[in-house]
Amino acid sequence: MRIVDKTIREIRRKVFYEVAKLAFDGDYTKVGELPYRILPGVEAQHRSSIFLERAIVGERIRLAIGLPLRAFDAHAPLATGISESAIDEKFYDPPLINIIKFACNACPDKFVVSDCCQGCLSHPCLDVCHKGAVSMRDGKSVIDEAKCVKCGRCKEVCPYSAIIHMKRPCSAACGVDAIDSDENRRAVIDYGKCVACGMCIVSCPFGAISDKGQIFQLAHALNKHDNVIAIVAPSFVGQFGATVTPAKFVLALKQLGFSDVVEVAVGADLCAIEEAKDFIALVPEKQAFMATSCCPSWIMMAKKQFPELRENISLALTPMVLTARLTKKKYPDSKIVFVGPCTAKKLEASRKSVRSDVDFVITFEELMAMFDAKNISLKDIDGGEELEDATAAGRGFAVSGGVASAVVEVINRLEPDKHVDTVTAEGLKNCRVLLEMASKGKYDGYLLEGMACPGGCVAGTGTLAPSKKTTAIVAKYKSEAIKKNALESEFEAEMDFTKE
């Protein structure tokens, strides 16, 4: 579950702000001062000591710069490696998602009996436990953690719901079971399972998990290059405040130093067209069903956990890549920056097949800090250019169900008599269930849409606004589009739909 993380967000924002300002100013000798600027004074505000707080912030600074964490017991200077990162071309060194060990609370994962226990005569909790972990003490049930195997049977049978499962929040949020505990109960990530969705980042109440960033490198590019272009995800509307219109947002990006701004919804239109054509050609004659391809975490999970279904996943390029290729075709010497809600896009952009298309990926949260570092107040901006190239279908990719809807609309236009059943899932746990059912033939003939984030891209790790609110704003923005069906896009003829 995504936590209400005002304090953690405030610290992250300060870190991003200081890193952006450091890069824009160009004086890297001051990096050691940043923890003291972010956490001034001598009194700890959140943890046992100010020294621990600053040590954690130091690691956050390194990750925001794109540097690796320092060894757990090392005392290397904060600036170690910064000179090598002070460039305008740098991709993510794995791992992308990192746990700051001494920020982790070593949260328990166990079943405990609460005060709601009534010490009932039937004590079914004791009867169902085959490991002898449950006993009665002073008329109440007690669970021996050393014997408990966490099967949950006692919890299921308690008539008073008195037994609770205390689960590590990051682990509970991980839809692919990639988080476990080390010998000291601190969280560890199995990168063989991890799909970089980032849900652990926004679910850790101690802010111990963070991803690497490219703010530092992007600031260098904006200082150095004349042709840095922002391609913005469809979920951007509503992220920066109720009064910040798309036109104001475009002008703010240009004030920051971008030479042009393009909606990734343009690429979403092209993606919808390609997936529609593939579905018509393949389903059900050549394959039982087809799964959409725009969410990288959903696709990574599907390929890792259901390798036998990989042929059923659309080979269409993602909206990010399609938009980047279209933009670089127009501006061959440009630097392309994807601005969006998603940590997984950072991983996607680091792939060898995508590196030449997308130079940087930053989240809305990181971009907001860059605006602050340049003293750009979005609410005070006047004017700006409207974004008018995308259709309503492409803009709808931002929310769960939007991708499937756009694809079906194209199919209906191309083949009016063809009926297409769709099924959608949001959140990786639900996505796994969807694919399990599909593997058993439940969804033969269907178009499957999966979204790693509950609610869709509007609920991504790097978003700034509540997803329910932005879902409504996206719907309004979608309704304002002049063109409705993806087939109305003027860019289809310009695009080379090279598959993955």
mmCIF file of all heavy atoms in Angstrom, residues 98-118:
data_model
loop_
_atom_site.group_PDB
_atom_site.id
_atom_site.type_symbol
_atom_site.label_atom_id
_atom_site.label_comp_id
_atom_site.label_asym_id
_atom_site.label_seq_id
_atom_site.Cartn_x
_atom_site.Cartn_y
_atom_site.Cartn_z
ATOM 1 N N ASN A 98 17.693 0.653 -5.042
ATOM 2 C CA ASN A 98 18.686 0.391 -4.001
ATOM 3 C C ASN A 98 18.095 0.524 -2.602
ATOM 4 O O ASN A 98 17.253 1.392 -2.357
ATOM 5 C CB ASN A 98 19.854 1.379 -4.126
ATOM 6 C CG ASN A 98 20.606 1.227 -5.424
ATOM 7 O OD1 ASN A 98 21.646 0.583 -5.468
ATOM 8 N ND2 ASN A 98 20.095 1.832 -6.495
ATOM 9 N N ILE A 99 18.590 -0.322 -1.692
ATOM 10 C CA ILE A 99 18.211 -0.235 -0.283
ATOM 11 C C ILE A 99 19.380 0.353 0.505
ATOM 12 O O ILE A 99 20.496 -0.189 0.475
ATOM 13 C CB ILE A 99 17.842 -1.620 0.281
ATOM 14 C CG1 ILE A 99 16.599 -2.163 -0.436
ATOM 15 C CG2 ILE A 99 17.587 -1.535 1.791
ATOM 16 C CD1 ILE A 99 16.240 -3.580 -0.057
ATOM 17 N N ILE A 100 19.127 1.467 1.175
ATOM 18 C CA ILE A 100 20.140 2.059 2.056
ATOM 19 C C ILE A 100 20.059 1.288 3.368
ATOM 20 O O ILE A 100 19.132 1.470 4.163
ATOM 21 C CB ILE A 100 19.858 3.561 2.272
ATOM 22 C CG1 ILE A 100 19.801 4.290 0.921
ATOM 23 C CG2 ILE A 100 20.929 4.181 3.172
ATOM 24 C CD1 ILE A 100 19.301 5.729 1.019
ATOM 25 N N LYS A 101 21.023 0.426 3.595
ATOM 26 C CA LYS A 101 20.933 -0.563 4.677
ATOM 27 C C LYS A 101 20.711 0.055 6.049
ATOM 28 O O LYS A 101 19.888 -0.425 6.835
ATOM 29 C CB LYS A 101 22.191 -1.440 4.698
ATOM 30 C CG LYS A 101 22.276 -2.457 3.574
ATOM 31 C CD LYS A 101 21.243 -3.563 3.777
ATOM 32 C CE LYS A 101 21.414 -4.670 2.747
ATOM 33 N NZ LYS A 101 20.470 -5.781 2.971
ATOM 34 N N PHE A 102 21.452 1.121 6.361
ATOM 35 C CA PHE A 102 21.317 1.670 7.711
ATOM 36 C C PHE A 102 20.113 2.594 7.850
ATOM 37 O O PHE A 102 19.881 3.173 8.901
ATOM 38 C CB PHE A 102 22.605 2.376 8.176
ATOM 39 C CG PHE A 102 23.225 3.304 7.174
ATOM 40 C CD1 PHE A 102 22.889 4.637 7.145
ATOM 41 C CD2 PHE A 102 24.162 2.833 6.270
ATOM 42 C CE1 PHE A 102 23.469 5.498 6.241
ATOM 43 C CE2 PHE A 102 24.750 3.688 5.356
ATOM 44 C CZ PHE A 102 24.411 5.025 5.333
ATOM 45 N N ALA A 103 19.316 2.716 6.774
ATOM 46 C CA ALA A 103 18.028 3.409 6.883
ATOM 47 C C ALA A 103 16.892 2.418 7.072
ATOM 48 O O ALA A 103 15.791 2.799 7.487
ATOM 49 C CB ALA A 103 17.772 4.237 5.630
ATOM 50 N N CYS A 104 17.162 1.137 6.792
ATOM 51 C CA CYS A 104 16.137 0.105 6.910
ATOM 52 C C CYS A 104 15.831 -0.178 8.380
ATOM 53 O O CYS A 104 16.737 -0.305 9.202
ATOM 54 C CB CYS A 104 16.611 -1.182 6.219
ATOM 55 S SG CYS A 104 15.445 -2.555 6.333
ATOM 56 N N ASN A 105 14.553 -0.305 8.706
ATOM 57 C CA ASN A 105 14.118 -0.513 10.084
ATOM 58 C C ASN A 105 14.151 -1.977 10.509
ATOM 59 O O ASN A 105 13.810 -2.303 11.642
ATOM 60 C CB ASN A 105 12.696 0.029 10.263
ATOM 61 C CG ASN A 105 12.227 0.037 11.690
ATOM 62 O OD1 ASN A 105 12.883 0.605 12.566
ATOM 63 N ND2 ASN A 105 11.096 -0.601 11.955
ATOM 64 N N ALA A 106 14.580 -2.860 9.603
ATOM 65 C CA ALA A 106 14.546 -4.300 9.885
ATOM 66 C C ALA A 106 13.152 -4.724 10.343
ATOM 67 O O ALA A 106 12.965 -5.361 11.382
ATOM 68 C CB ALA A 106 15.601 -4.676 10.932
ATOM 69 N N CYS A 107 12.171 -4.340 9.544
ATOM 70 C CA CYS A 107 10.775 -4.588 9.907
ATOM 71 C C CYS A 107 10.500 -6.077 10.070
ATOM 72 O O CYS A 107 11.009 -6.902 9.314
ATOM 73 C CB CYS A 107 9.838 -4.029 8.833
ATOM 74 S SG CYS A 107 9.976 -2.260 8.590
ATOM 75 N N PRO A 108 9.667 -6.447 11.056
ATOM 76 C CA PRO A 108 9.347 -7.857 11.276
ATOM 77 C C PRO A 108 8.378 -8.387 10.223
ATOM 78 O O PRO A 108 7.606 -7.636 9.631
ATOM 79 C CB PRO A 108 8.699 -7.857 12.658
ATOM 80 C CG PRO A 108 8.087 -6.491 12.778
ATOM 81 C CD PRO A 108 9.016 -5.566 12.047
ATOM 82 N N ASP A 109 8.442 -9.676 10.010
ATOM 83 C CA ASP A 109 7.470 -10.375 9.164
ATOM 84 C C ASP A 109 7.001 -11.570 9.984
ATOM 85 O O ASP A 109 7.656 -12.614 9.999
ATOM 86 C CB ASP A 109 8.117 -10.815 7.849
ATOM 87 C CG ASP A 109 7.096 -11.417 6.888
ATOM 88 O OD1 ASP A 109 5.945 -11.646 7.319
ATOM 89 O OD2 ASP A 109 7.444 -11.674 5.724
ATOM 90 N N LYS A 110 5.904 -11.393 10.708
ATOM 91 C CA LYS A 110 5.472 -12.441 11.627
ATOM 92 C C LYS A 110 3.984 -12.332 11.923
ATOM 93 O O LYS A 110 3.350 -11.300 11.669
ATOM 94 C CB LYS A 110 6.253 -12.359 12.932
ATOM 95 C CG LYS A 110 6.046 -11.050 13.704
ATOM 96 C CD LYS A 110 6.885 -11.027 14.981
ATOM 97 C CE LYS A 110 6.672 -9.737 15.756
ATOM 98 N NZ LYS A 110 7.444 -9.698 17.014
ATOM 99 N N PHE A 111 3.427 -13.405 12.477
ATOM 100 C CA PHE A 111 2.037 -13.415 12.945
ATOM 101 C C PHE A 111 2.053 -13.173 14.458
ATOM 102 O O PHE A 111 2.846 -13.784 15.180
ATOM 103 C CB PHE A 111 1.369 -14.749 12.627
ATOM 104 C CG PHE A 111 0.989 -14.894 11.183
ATOM 105 C CD1 PHE A 111 1.904 -15.343 10.246
ATOM 106 C CD2 PHE A 111 -0.286 -14.580 10.750
ATOM 107 C CE1 PHE A 111 1.572 -15.474 8.915
ATOM 108 C CE2 PHE A 111 -0.646 -14.707 9.420
ATOM 109 C CZ PHE A 111 0.288 -15.159 8.498
ATOM 110 N N VAL A 112 1.193 -12.268 14.908
ATOM 111 C CA VAL A 112 1.121 -11.952 16.328
ATOM 112 C C VAL A 112 -0.345 -11.941 16.783
ATOM 113 O O VAL A 112 -1.249 -11.654 15.995
ATOM 114 C CB VAL A 112 1.763 -10.587 16.659
ATOM 115 C CG1 VAL A 112 3.256 -10.600 16.383
ATOM 116 C CG2 VAL A 112 1.093 -9.468 15.868
ATOM 117 N N VAL A 113 -0.537 -12.238 18.042
ATOM 118 C CA VAL A 113 -1.881 -12.215 18.625
ATOM 119 C C VAL A 113 -2.107 -10.859 19.278
ATOM 120 O O VAL A 113 -1.322 -10.429 20.126
ATOM 121 C CB VAL A 113 -2.060 -13.333 19.665
ATOM 122 C CG1 VAL A 113 -3.476 -13.311 20.230
ATOM 123 C CG2 VAL A 113 -1.748 -14.699 19.046
ATOM 124 N N SER A 114 -3.166 -10.183 18.876
ATOM 125 C CA SER A 114 -3.462 -8.851 19.393
ATOM 126 C C SER A 114 -4.293 -8.936 20.680
ATOM 127 O O SER A 114 -4.695 -10.014 21.119
ATOM 128 C CB SER A 114 -4.227 -8.044 18.345
ATOM 129 O OG SER A 114 -5.551 -8.537 18.226
ATOM 130 N N ASP A 115 -4.586 -7.764 21.241
ATOM 131 C CA ASP A 115 -5.397 -7.689 22.460
ATOM 132 C C ASP A 115 -6.845 -8.099 22.221
ATOM 133 O O ASP A 115 -7.613 -8.250 23.178
ATOM 134 C CB ASP A 115 -5.373 -6.257 23.024
ATOM 135 C CG ASP A 115 -4.006 -5.875 23.570
ATOM 136 O OD1 ASP A 115 -3.223 -6.806 23.861
ATOM 137 O OD2 ASP A 115 -3.726 -4.672 23.696
ATOM 138 N N CYS A 116 -7.209 -8.290 20.983
ATOM 139 C CA CYS A 116 -8.588 -8.706 20.676
ATOM 140 C C CYS A 116 -8.844 -10.174 21.017
ATOM 141 O O CYS A 116 -9.995 -10.628 21.005
ATOM 142 C CB CYS A 116 -8.887 -8.469 19.193
ATOM 143 S SG CYS A 116 -8.905 -6.726 18.725
ATOM 144 N N CYS A 117 -7.782 -10.920 21.315
ATOM 145 C CA CYS A 117 -7.951 -12.333 21.662
ATOM 146 C C CYS A 117 -8.842 -12.465 22.908
ATOM 147 O O CYS A 117 -8.613 -11.819 23.934
ATOM 148 C CB CYS A 117 -6.596 -12.973 21.918
ATOM 149 S SG CYS A 117 -6.690 -14.700 22.451
ATOM 150 N N GLN A 118 -9.846 -13.328 22.824
ATOM 151 C CA GLN A 118 -10.793 -13.534 23.923
ATOM 152 C C GLN A 118 -10.502 -14.794 24.730
ATOM 153 O O GLN A 118 -11.219 -15.114 25.674
ATOM 154 C CB GLN A 118 -12.225 -13.604 23.367
ATOM 155 C CG GLN A 118 -12.653 -12.346 22.620
ATOM 156 C CD GLN A 118 -12.662 -11.127 23.517
ATOM 157 O OE1 GLN A 118 -13.368 -11.085 24.526
ATOM 158 N NE2 GLN A 118 -11.856 -10.128 23.163
#
